């Protein structure tokens, strides 16, 4: 697989490590009333569909940035690659 | 029809015209007491033990493709019970014992071959870890044998024990481990279950779960709706997809694992060997091909085929201990979809939805578990209590902090 890095261009997927389901960006609020069930979900439950999947990849052998890759889990086709920091900022987060 | 020496001789004399189908290809009825979704090894074994050991009737196994098309027919066929943790080892030892009696029990030749498995170690620290594991196995009634390099050399003279980076310092052997012909396991259980009246329904995909007031009352399929008393999901790599039909998210990711078979060779490797410094395991099939594999590809996939970086990684692992593999040509390679769980261990449990049960999260070690998984799942379905060897395989072990993490990797499925 080739991942089209937004800054570095097309890179071999072997340069990256894989973390999983991109909803891991949304770490729950530890001070909220529902923090316990929210963290159990966050820690242990995953989106795992057959089809388009948004997921976190880390460019370990490269610029060490985190990417959000939109990839089809049946065909492995990659349709979108964003910097995870851009995705988080778009959601109103500082980093 | 029972298989026997007499039957084989009499059929040989009559031109083999008297054999009948291995199992009945059933058409779905409108209602079953037990509906098992997924006709892999685990689903078929569950149906068999439910009928045989627990005396239940009116059981169906619903399979979307053909029997043996899933992981049960794709794995590298290794069986063993060399686990360490209390939640696991009694279960896998029960499984190994069931393998030992399987062919007589099923009256079917599954080519169970206890040729032994040898896990190599390459450092002093790894030796300590393997001694600990071996002792844990012995405490649970399994067999374990620590071998010196010289003992290993006498059985496997071609192993590269002197590699500068990964010298072989010894190995932990389980002589009762080995291999089983994987598709014969599916066929054998299907035949035995079918003989006990279980309906085996192929080419029938479950497309929905019929849930009324938090109670599962049936399934919808590509061959029409079927009502059921108890509905048991047992679909391995498709676990998240099927349980999503009940609105559940699982502690599971689906990943692809590849397997490789070389061209046929004369007898070379008598047992199963695993490399301890990377991921590589190898045995030789009775047809002569070397059957080997390694790590999962590492990203969510339902593709049943993998990518080249892992091919390279597996072959590098192989070359480190078996330099004589270097000129071998590959005959076939393929992938299967693994239900990788958050702690590397499986789940056999009720769900929050009444009459809906779940069996999954087998990662890439579920073939060896087939008999015990079937037995324990049947026990749960028949009695609504967990089997004594499967009490740890609960959904709520994550929130309770009772993970069964053999590798100590934490909640990262692709590292288990
Ligand atoms: C390459 C590879 C190597 C492996 N090596 C080993 C090994 O050496 N030792 C070991 O112990 N384990 C090994 N495993 C793991 C082992 O094969 C699996 O853990 C085990 O087979 C899973 O259980 P099963 O047999 O029931 O799965 P499967 O055979 O996959 O059965 C699940 C069935 O469910 C069906 N299904 C899915 N969705 C639906 C639906 N909606 N409706 C109806 N049916 C459905 C599928 O078609 C499939 O037939 C390996 C796996 C792979 C892929």
């Amino acid at each position: 697989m080739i991942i089209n890095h937004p800054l570095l261009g097309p890179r071999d997927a072997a340069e990256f490590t894989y973390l999983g389901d991109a909803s891991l960006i949304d770490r729950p609020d530890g001070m909220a009333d529902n923090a316990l069930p929210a963290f159990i979900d966050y820690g242990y439950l995953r989106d795992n569909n057959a089809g388009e999947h948004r997921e976190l990849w880390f460019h370990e052998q490269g610029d060490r940035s985190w990417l959000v890759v939109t990839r089809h889990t049946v065909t492995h086709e990659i349709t979108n690659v964003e910097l995870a920091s851009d995705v988080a900022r778009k959601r109103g987060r500082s980093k | 029809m029972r298989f026997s020496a007499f039957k084989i001789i009499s059929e040989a004399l009559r031109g083999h015209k008297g054999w009948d189908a291995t199992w009945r290809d059933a058409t779905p009825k409108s209602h079953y007491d037990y509906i098992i979704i997924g006709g892999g090894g685990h689903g078929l074994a569950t149906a068999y033990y439910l009928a045989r050991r627990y005396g239940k009737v009116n059981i169906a196994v619903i399979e979307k493709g053909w029997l043996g098309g899933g992981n049960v027919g794709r794995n590298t066929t290794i069986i063993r019970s060399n686990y360490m943790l209390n939640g696991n080892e009694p279960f896998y030892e029960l499984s190994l014992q069931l393998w030992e009696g399987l062919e007589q029990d099923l009256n079917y030749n599954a080519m169970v071959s206890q040729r032994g498995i040898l896990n190599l170690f390459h450092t002093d620290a790894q030796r300590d870890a393997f001694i600990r594991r071996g002792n844990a196995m012995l405490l649970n009634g399994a067999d374990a044998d620590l071998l010196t390099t010289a003992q290993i050399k006498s059985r496997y003279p071609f192993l590269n024990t002197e590699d500068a980076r990964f010298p072989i310092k010894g190995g932990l052997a389980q002589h009762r481990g080995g291999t089983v012909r994987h598709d014969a396991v599916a066929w054998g259980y299907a035949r035995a279950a079918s003989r006990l009246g279980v309906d085996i329904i192929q080419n029938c995909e479950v497309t929905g779960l019929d849930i009324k007031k938090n109670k599962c009352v049936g399934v919808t399929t590509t061959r029409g709706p079927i009502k059921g008393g108890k509905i048991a999901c047992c679909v391995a790599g498709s676990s998240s997809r099927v349980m999503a039909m009940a609105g559940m998210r699982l502690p599971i990711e689906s990943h692809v694992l590849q397997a490789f078979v070389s061209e046929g060779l004369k007898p070379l490797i008598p047992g199963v060997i695993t490399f301890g410094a990377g991921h590589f395991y190898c045995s030789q099939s009775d047809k002569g091909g070397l059957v080997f594999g390694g790590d999962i590809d590492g990203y969510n996939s339902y593709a049943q085929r993998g990518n080249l970086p892992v091919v390279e990684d597996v072959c590098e692992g192989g070359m480190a201990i078996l330099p004589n593999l270097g000129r071998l040509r590959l005959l076939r390679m393929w992938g299967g979809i693994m239900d990788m769980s958050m702690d590397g261990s499986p789940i056999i449990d009720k769900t929050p939805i009444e009459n809906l049960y779940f069996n999954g999260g087998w990662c890439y070690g579920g073939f060896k578990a087939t008999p015990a998984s079937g037995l324990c799942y049947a026990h749960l379905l028949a009695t609504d209590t967990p089997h004594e060897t499967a009490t740890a395989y609960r959904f709520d072990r994550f929130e309770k902090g009772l993970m069964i993490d053999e590798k100590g990797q934490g909640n990262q499925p692709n590292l288990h």
Side-chain angles (χ1 to χ4, degrees), chain B residues 204-219:
Chain B
C204 180
E205 179 172 355
V206 169
T207 51
L209 296 169
D210 190 356
I211 295 168
K212 300 223 161 65
K213 292 196 187 128
N214 203 43
K215 182 172 177 178
C216 192
V217 296
V219 295

Side-chain angles (χ1 to χ4, degrees), chain B residues 154-200:
Chain B
S154 70
R155 192 167 192 215
Y156 297 107
F158 49 83
L159 276 179
N160 177 17
T161 49
E162 306 294 315
D163 186 90
R165 197 158 163 219
F166 306 119
I168 293 172
K169 299 253 182 185
L172 183 66
Q174 184 175 33
H175 302 303
R176 287 164 60 240
T179 58
V180 183
R181 179 171 180 206
H182 50 198
D183 15 43
V185 173
W187 302 335
Y189 273 119
R191 172 173 171 274
S194 182
R195 280 159 57 100
L196 293 169
V198 172
D199 272 4
I200 292 165

Side-chain angles (χ1 to χ4, degrees), chain B residues 37-44 62-80 83 92 204-207 234-239 241-242 245 256-260 281 334-339 359 362-370:
Chain B
I37 308 172
H42 293 209
L44 293 164
I62 300 182
E63 165 55 46
K64 79 171 171 192
W66 68 95
L67 293 197
N71 293 337
V72 69
R74 290 169 184 267
N75 60 68
T76 40
T77 78
I78 301 166
I79 61 165
R80 55 188 171 87
Y83 285 69
Y92 285 101
C204 180
E205 179 172 355
V206 169
T207 51
C234 197
V235 295
S238 302
S239 292
R241 297 177 70 186
V242 172
M245 298 172 192
V256 61
L257 177 68
Q258 306 188 59
F260 310 87
Y281 37 87
W334 63 88
I337 303 307
M338 319 289 26
D339 32 342
N359 173 318
W362 292 100
C363 303
Y364 43 80
F367 178 64
K368 71 176 87 67
T370 305

Side-chain angles (χ1 to χ4, degrees), chain B residues 362-406:
Chain B
W362 292 100
C363 303
Y364 43 80
F367 178 64
K368 71 176 87 67
T370 305
S373 167
L375 182 65
C376 294
Y377 203 22
H379 184 97
L380 177 71
L381 289 165
T383 66
D384 270 317
T385 54
H387 187 272
E388 58 177 356
T389 64
T391 52
Y393 297 152
R394 303 161 59 101
F395 267 115
D396 65 4
R397 68 173 182 263
F398 302 102
E399 62 184 83
K400 296 210 161 133
L402 300 172
M403 272 69 83
I404 319 164
D405 189 344
E406 289 274 341

